[in-house]
C-alpha cells in the first residue's frame, strides 16, 4: 500500500478517541436523588451501557458515572436511561442455541434500561449483542419484561412464545376502540412504541416519546469527479515479450456515490456504493530481435465501470468537519478491450482479451458541512488477464477524489 495513504489512515484512527464523539448537555441523578447538570459523552450506544463519561464543564476532566452510583441519566433531546432491578430472560434467539423450554428463564439483573416512551404507562428497551428485550411499567408497579421467546419443540421445530401480546391485552388497555390490536403488534421498537403512544393518548395521559429525535439524513447522493494515476504491466517468461511495463498515466474519471448512514453509533458508520467511470491508455515499444523486426509495440486502451461496495467510518472534529476512512470491494465491468502487439506479423503473440476483475480499495478523506469532500483512495492490484494462465498482469490506481453532495 502507498506509505503516505497508510500513514493518513493510521493518523485518523489515532485521533478517534478525541475526535469522534462529542460531550453534550445532559444530567444524571445520584442514589441520594441529587441531580447533576453536566456534559455527557454521547456514544449513541448500540448496547445498553453500564457506565458513561461526563464533564462538569467544557474544560474540566472527564469523569465516570456507573450503575452502582447513578439511578438515572439523560442526554438532552436524545436518550434517557433509568436503573432498574428486573427479571430478564437472556435466552438466545439464535437457531443454534435455542433451548426446549417455552417458558422464559428469568435472571435478576440491575440494568440501565433505555426509556422509549415515558408516561402513565412507560416502555423501555434493553439490548446486549443479539439479545433485545422490552419492558413496561405502570404506576405503583415494578418494571416487567414483555415476554417473547423462541424455543425448540419436542419435534425439533422452532416455535415462539408471544406472551407479550396477552400482557398488552390484559394490562395495557384502552377504554375506547383503539386502532391497534395487541395481536398485530410485533416485538420490535417501532411497533411497540406505536402501541404505547396510542394507549397513553386514548387514556388522556401525558407522555414523552424519546424516539422522535432524528440523527440526520439517512441517504446522501454525491457526484465525485477524480484524477486517477494508474499503472499497468504484464509478464510471461515463455513469451516473445517476456514483460512489458506500460508505465503510469494520469486520467480523469467520475463517480456517483450513494451513501446509506447506518442507524447506530451517532451516524459514524455508512454503507457506500459508487459506480464510477475510469480509463487507461498506454503503449511501450521494445526491442524484439530480427525475426519480428526491430521492435514490438505493446498497447492497451482500457476503460471500465467500477462499482465499489464498502463501509465508511467517520471521525467527527466539530459540528461542520469530519474525517473518514473507508474500505471497499470493487467489481469491475470492462469494455471490450485487448492488450495488443505490433507488428502484425508477430503471430506468436495474439491479442490478449481483458477480462472484468475485482480488487480492494482503501481511502481516507475529509468532509465539510456535510456537502464538500476530498478523498485519497488506493486500489490493490487488479489482474486484467485472468483468463490466461501463462500471463500475469498488474493494474493499480491511486485517485484524488473531490465530492459534492447533491442531497
Amino acid at each position: 500500500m502507498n506509505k503516505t495513504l497508510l500513514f493518513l489512515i493510521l493518523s485518523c484512527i489515532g485521533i478517534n478517541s478525541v475526535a469522534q464523539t462529542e460531550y453534550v448537555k445532559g444530567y444524571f441523578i445520584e442514589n441520594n436523588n441529587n441531580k447533576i447538570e453536566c456534559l455527557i459523552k454521547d456514544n449513541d450506544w448500540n448496547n445498553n451501557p453500564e457506565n458513561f463519561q461526563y464533564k462538569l464543564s467544557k474544560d474540566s476532566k472527564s469523569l465516570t458515572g456507573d450503575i452502582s452510583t447513578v439511578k438515572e441519566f439523560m442526554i438532552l433531546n436524545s436518550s434517557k436511561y433509568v436503573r432498574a432491578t428486573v427479571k430478564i430472560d437472556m435466552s438466545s434467539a439464535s437457531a443454534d442455541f435455542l433451548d426446549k423450554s417455552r417458558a422464559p428463564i428469568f435472571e435478576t439483573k440491575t440494568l440501565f434500561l433505555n426509556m422509549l416512551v415515558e408516561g402513565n404507562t412507560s416502555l423501555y428497551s434493553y439490548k446486549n449483542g443479539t439479545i433485545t428485550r422490552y419492558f413496561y411499567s405502570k404506576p405503583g408497579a415494578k418494571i416487567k419484561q414483555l415476554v417473547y421467546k423462541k424455543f425448540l419443540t419436542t419435534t425439533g421445530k422452532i416455535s415462539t412464545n408471544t406472551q407479550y401480546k396477552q400482557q398488552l391485552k390484559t394490562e395495557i388497555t384502552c377504554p375506547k376502540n383503539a386502532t391497534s390490536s395487541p395481536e398485530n403488534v410485533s416485538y420490535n421498537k417501532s411497533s411497540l412504541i406505536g402501541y404505547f403512544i396510542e394507549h397513553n393518548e386514548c387514556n388522556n395521559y401525558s407522555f414523552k416519546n424519546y424516539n422522535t429525535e432524528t440523527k440526520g439524513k439517512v441517504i446522501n447522493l454525491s457526484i465525485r469527479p477524480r484524477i486517477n494515476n494508474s499503472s499497468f504491466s504484464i509478464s510471461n517468461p515463455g513469451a516473445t515479450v517476456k514483460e512489458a511495463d506500460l508505465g503510469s498515466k494520469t486520467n480523469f474519471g467520475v463517480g456517483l456515490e450513494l451513501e446509506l448512514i447506518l442507524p447506530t453509533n451517532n451516524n459514524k458508520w455508512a454503507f457506500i456504493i459508487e459506480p464510477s467511470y475510469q480509463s487507461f491508455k498506454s503503449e511501450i515499444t521494445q526491442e524484439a530481435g530480427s525475426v519480428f523486426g526491430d521492435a514490438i509495440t505493446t498497447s492497451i486502451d482500457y476503460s471500465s465501470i467500477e462499482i465499489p461496495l464498502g463501509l465508511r467510518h467517520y471521525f467527527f472534529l466539530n459540528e461542520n468537519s469530519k474525517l473518514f476512512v473507508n474500505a471497499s470491494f470493487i467489481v469491475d465491468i470492462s469494455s471490450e478491450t485487448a492488450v495488443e502487439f505490433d507488428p502484425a506479423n508477430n503471430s506468436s503473440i495474439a491479442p490478449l482479451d481483458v477480462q472484468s476483475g475485482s480488487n480492494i480499495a482503501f481511502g481516507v478523506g475529509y468532509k465539510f458541512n456535510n456537502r464538500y469532500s476530498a478523498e485519497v483512495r488506493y486500489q490493490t492490484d487488479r489482474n486484467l488477464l485472468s483468463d490466461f494462465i501463462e500471463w500475469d498482469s498488474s493494474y493499480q490506481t491511486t485517485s484524488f477524489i473531490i465530492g459534492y453532495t447533491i442531497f
Side-chain angles (χ1 to χ4, degrees):
M1 180 187 295
N2 182 284
K3 291 183 179 179
T4 301
L5 181 63
L6 179 60
F7 172 77
L8 289 172
I9 292 175
L10 293 176
S11 297
C12 286
I13 294 173
I15 65 172
N16 179 38
S17 61
V18 296
Q20 65 175 331
T21 304
E22 296 181 355
Y23 283 82
V24 295
K25 289 183 178 181
Y27 71 83
F28 64 89
I29 299 176
E30 298 176 310
N31 289 338
N32 60 4
N33 292 322
N34 186 30
K35 184 177 180 180
I36 308 295
E37 304 284 346
C38 63
L39 300 172
I40 297 179
K41 190 175 183 181
D42 185 5
N43 288 306
D44 192 26
W45 295 275
N46 188 39
N47 294 325
N48 288 42
E50 294 184 355
N51 54 58
F52 59 93
Q53 281 70 55
Y54 68 93
K55 293 182 177 182
L56 296 177
S57 66
K58 184 177 180 180
D59 298 323
S60 66
K61 67 177 182 179
S62 179
L63 302 171
T64 300
D66 62 44
I67 201 166
S68 66
T69 59
V70 174
K71 59 193 303 184
E72 176 182 312
F73 74 94
M74 180 177 179
I75 298 173
L76 298 184
N77 299 319
S78 179
S79 57
K80 180 177 180 178
Y81 289 86
V82 296
R83 185 182 68 193
T85 300
V86 295
K87 292 182 178 180
I88 182 172
D89 174 29
M90 298 294 288
S91 302
S92 174
S94 172
D96 294 331
F97 299 100
L98 295 180
D99 60 49
K100 296 183 178 180
S101 172
R102 184 182 188 278
I105 303 173
F106 286 119
E107 304 174 35
T108 300
K109 290 181 175 289
T110 299
L111 310 167
F112 274 135
L113 299 180
N114 185 13
M115 179 79 76
L116 300 179
V117 178
E118 183 177 21
N120 185 272
T121 304
S122 299
L123 175 68
Y124 315 80
S125 70
Y126 176 78
K127 181 175 174 60
N128 187 355
T130 60
I131 295 174
T132 301
R133 299 289 183 261
Y134 296 96
F135 296 80
Y136 71 99
S137 67
K138 299 178 69 175
K142 292 183 178 181
I143 298 176
K144 297 180 181 179
Q145 182 187 321
L146 289 166
V147 175
Y148 175 89
K149 180 182 179 181
K150 289 185 177 294
F151 63 97
L152 290 177
T153 66
T154 54
T155 59
K157 293 183 179 180
I158 298 176
S159 187
T160 306
N161 177 351
T162 58
Q163 184 184 337
Y164 76 94
K165 294 182 178 181
Q166 184 63 30
Q167 291 173 285
L168 297 178
K169 184 177 180 179
T170 58
E171 299 187 45
I172 307 174
T173 60
C174 181
K176 306 173 186 177
N177 290 325
T179 57
S180 296
S181 166
E183 289 298 322
N184 297 326
V185 177
S186 300
Y187 199 77
N188 60 51
K189 182 190 293 186
S190 61
S191 187
L192 285 167
I193 285 176
Y195 186 86
F196 273 74
I197 288 175
E198 184 178 277
H199 166 78
N200 281 288
E201 286 178 337
C202 76
N203 285 284
N204 295 317
Y205 299 142
S206 61
F207 67 93
K208 169 69 174 177
N209 176 13
Y210 288 95
N211 202 50
T212 59
E213 301 297 333
T214 59
K215 293 287 186 179
K217 293 191 299 180
V218 176
I219 294 178
N220 294 314
L221 183 66
S222 303
I223 185 168
R224 287 163 49 93
R226 67 208 55 206
I227 298 174
N228 297 323
N229 183 264
S230 302
S231 63
F232 180 61
S233 62
I234 61 173
S235 63
N236 182 352
T240 303
V241 178
K242 292 180 171 54
E243 60 181 28
D245 186 345
L246 282 78
S248 298
K249 297 290 182 180
T250 299
N251 297 290
F252 295 95
V254 65
L256 190 64
E257 179 189 82
L258 183 67
E259 179 184 53
L260 175 64
I261 305 296
L262 302 180
T264 184
N265 204 222
N266 277 331
N267 296 338
K268 289 194 281 286
W269 288 96
F271 173 78
I272 53 175
I273 179 171
E274 185 184 6
S276 309
Y277 172 80
Q278 69 87 40
S279 63
F280 178 84
K281 183 177 182 179
S282 183
E283 65 179 31
I284 184 174
T285 300
Q286 300 170 285
E287 293 183 2
S290 59
V291 176
F292 303 110
D294 293 333
I296 293 179
T297 298
T298 305
S299 64
I300 185 173
D301 187 356
Y302 164 57
S303 62
S304 71
I305 299 296
E306 297 177 334
I307 306 179
L309 304 167
L311 282 176
R312 173 173 292 156
H313 184 66
Y314 283 105
F315 307 98
F316 293 95
L317 301 176
N318 54 49
E319 186 175 327
N320 297 316
S321 300
K322 50 189 175 182
L323 299 173
F324 62 85
V325 294
N326 40 244
S328 304
F329 177 81
I330 298 179
V331 177
D332 182 65
I333 304 174
S334 65
S335 60
E336 292 186 3
T337 305
V339 178
E340 298 184 342
F341 303 92
D342 188 58
N345 66 346
N346 183 7
S347 58
S348 65
I349 309 180
L352 306 174
D353 292 333
V354 167
Q355 297 298 317
S356 296
S358 60
N359 59 330
I360 305 295
F362 302 95
V364 57
Y366 170 78
K367 193 162 190 177
F368 176 73
N369 207 27
N370 285 324
R371 182 71 65 180
Y372 308 98
S373 65
E375 177 185 344
V376 177
R377 180 178 294 178
Y378 170 81
Q379 295 187 25
T380 60
D381 289 354
R382 180 188 303 158
N383 185 7
L384 302 185
L385 302 178
S386 57
D387 276 2
F388 301 91
I389 298 175
E390 308 89 0
W391 288 92
D392 189 25
S393 71
S394 175
Y395 184 73
Q396 289 183 318
T397 300
T398 300
S399 304
F400 175 71
I401 306 168
I402 59 173
Y404 177 78
T405 300
I406 303 169
F407 65 81

